[in-house]
């Protein structure tokens, strides 16, 4: 019987210690859920801190792993060519010539995660069964991390369109936490200009962190100056039951392709808005 490839969960480095700790706990939870499967994970780039991806790879190789199915714990299927996960894996392939890596697509916009975002919106509205008018009278401001890469920011707009279709909200607008326009106050200005009287600020992010706290502070400051508009804050996706399911679905995709030696560009067209934007 062929040994399955190890699950390697790859995240973008961050200076946010809290977000890094949540990432690490999630990797540990995945390992506990799948005791018969080698599982590891780490962060890329200068923000990898005490949990670098290279250490995870080295540890699993020492345990005898020769094949990795890599799942990027990111939402945007566009990466920075220098600091992204593909670049990190290329370095690992050079360090471990006997090892092969096969990469799954980014997590977003997976339909299951869009459903989780929809639940976050309902929770912000108060939870429980809601009248249709609640959604019809609500505009969503989807906040991405922001990137100098145009195609990465375009993916947030794509996710916004997919979140809006068929869910009954008045509209879904887009803003960014940093590095791209519009910022959160400008995004709220646009919602108000379009006639919104209730706006939910929804982070397009896997885990919470300092950047999301700043987004909420900006939204609260904007509402103080615009009391005529109700502004609500929704939570990030978080390490809910749906996230492990999506990660394993992506793992199966990568594992199915793991018979190929190494990895090519078709295997790693996944996310990385920017190493300094921690809202992913």
């Amino acid at each position: 019987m062929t040994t399955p490839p190890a699950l390697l969960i790859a995240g973008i480095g961050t200076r946010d210690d809290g977000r890094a700790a949540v990432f690490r706990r999630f990797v540990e939870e995945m390992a506990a859920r799948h005791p018969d499967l080698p599982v590891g994970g780490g962060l890329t780039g200068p923000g990898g801190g005490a949990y670098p991806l290279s250490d995870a790879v080295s540890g699993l190789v020492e345990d005898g792993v020769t094949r990795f199915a890599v799942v990027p714990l990111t939402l945007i299927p566009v990466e920075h060519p220098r600091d992204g996960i593909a670049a990190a894996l290329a370095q690992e392939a050079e360090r471990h010539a006997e090892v092969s890596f096969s990469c799954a697509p980014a997590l977003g916009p997976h339909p299951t995660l869009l459903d989780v975002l929809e639940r976050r919106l309902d929770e912000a509205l108060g939870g429980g069964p809601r009248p249709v008018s609640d959604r019809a009278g609500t505009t969503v401001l989807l906040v991405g991390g922001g990137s100098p890469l145009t195609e990465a920011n375009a993916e947030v707009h794509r996710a916004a369109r997919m979140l809006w279709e068929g869910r009954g909200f008045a509209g879904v607008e887009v803003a960014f936490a940093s590095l791209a326009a519009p910022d959160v106050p400008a995004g709220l200005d646009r919602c108000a200009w379009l006639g919104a009287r209730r706006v939910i600020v929804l982070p397009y992010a896997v885990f919470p962190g300092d950047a999301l706290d700043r987004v909420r502070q900006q939204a609260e400051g904007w509402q103080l100056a615009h009391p005529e508009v109700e502004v609500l804050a929704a939570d990030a996706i978080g390490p809910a039951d749906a996230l492990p399911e999506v990660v394993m679905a992506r793992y199966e995709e990568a594992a199915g392709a793991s018979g190929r030696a190494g990895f090519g560009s078709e295997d790693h067209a996944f996310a990385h808005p920017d190493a300094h934007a921690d809202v992913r």
Side-chain angles (χ1 to χ4, degrees):
M1 182 174 180
T2 303
T3 302
L7 166 60
L8 182 65
I9 302 172
I12 299 300
T14 176
R15 295 177 178 85
D16 183 342
D17 292 340
R19 195 167 74 90
V22 173
F23 175 91
R24 183 166 192 161
R25 287 195 297 272
F26 179 77
V27 174
E28 292 169 349
E29 177 187 345
M30 292 299 296
R33 284 174 175 245
H34 303 279
D36 297 329
L37 180 68
V39 177
L43 303 171
T44 67
Y51 199 42
L53 186 69
S54 57
D55 284 3
V57 173
S58 295
L60 288 168
V61 170
E62 288 175 4
D63 290 338
V65 170
T66 59
R67 293 189 301 146
F68 289 87
V70 185
V71 177
L73 207 66
T74 55
L75 294 173
I76 310 296
V78 175
E79 70 160 21
H80 195 288
R82 183 182 64 253
D83 300 323
I85 293 171
L89 291 178
Q91 292 179 353
E92 294 307 308
E94 291 180 359
R95 291 176 61 223
H96 304 283
E98 73 283 10
V99 171
S100 65
F101 298 88
S102 181
C103 294
L107 299 182
H110 193 284
T112 297
L113 296 187
L114 290 174
D115 290 343
V116 174
L117 290 172
E118 183 178 8
R119 291 203 299 274
R120 297 291 177 263
L121 293 170
D122 282 337
E123 290 164 3
L125 286 170
R130 312 299 306 174
V132 174
S133 59
D134 274 6
R135 290 193 176 192
T138 300
T139 297
V140 177
L141 183 64
L142 186 68
V143 182
S147 172
L149 302 176
T150 301
E151 54 269 45
N153 298 325
E155 287 296 329
V156 183
H157 286 270
R158 176 170 173 255
R161 177 72 187 194
M162 295 175 72
L163 184 64
W164 175 72
E165 293 241 0
R167 288 180 167 85
F169 291 98
V172 180
E173 299 297 320
V174 168
F176 298 95
S178 64
L179 300 173
D183 60 13
V184 172
L188 289 167
D189 284 342
R190 174 170 172 78
C191 292
W193 180 78
L194 290 172
R197 288 297 174 262
R198 180 195 298 125
V199 180
I200 301 178
V201 178
L202 174 66
Y204 191 51
V206 178
F207 296 136
D210 291 345
L212 298 191
D213 292 339
R214 292 193 296 272
V215 166
R216 289 194 174 195
Q217 291 169 3
Q218 291 172 354
E220 290 169 358
W222 186 90
Q223 183 171 35
L224 288 175
H226 302 82
E228 72 281 4
V229 180
E230 180 184 13
V231 179
L232 304 173
D235 291 328
I237 291 168
D241 288 341
L243 187 58
E245 294 172 7
V246 174
V247 167
M248 289 309 297
R250 291 296 196 227
Y251 167 80
E252 295 295 341
E253 292 180 45
S258 65
R260 296 196 300 265
F263 61 96
S265 60
E266 73 275 9
D267 293 319
H268 57 267
F270 49 78
H272 180 22
D274 183 80
H276 302 297
D278 291 336
V279 172
R280 294 166 302 280

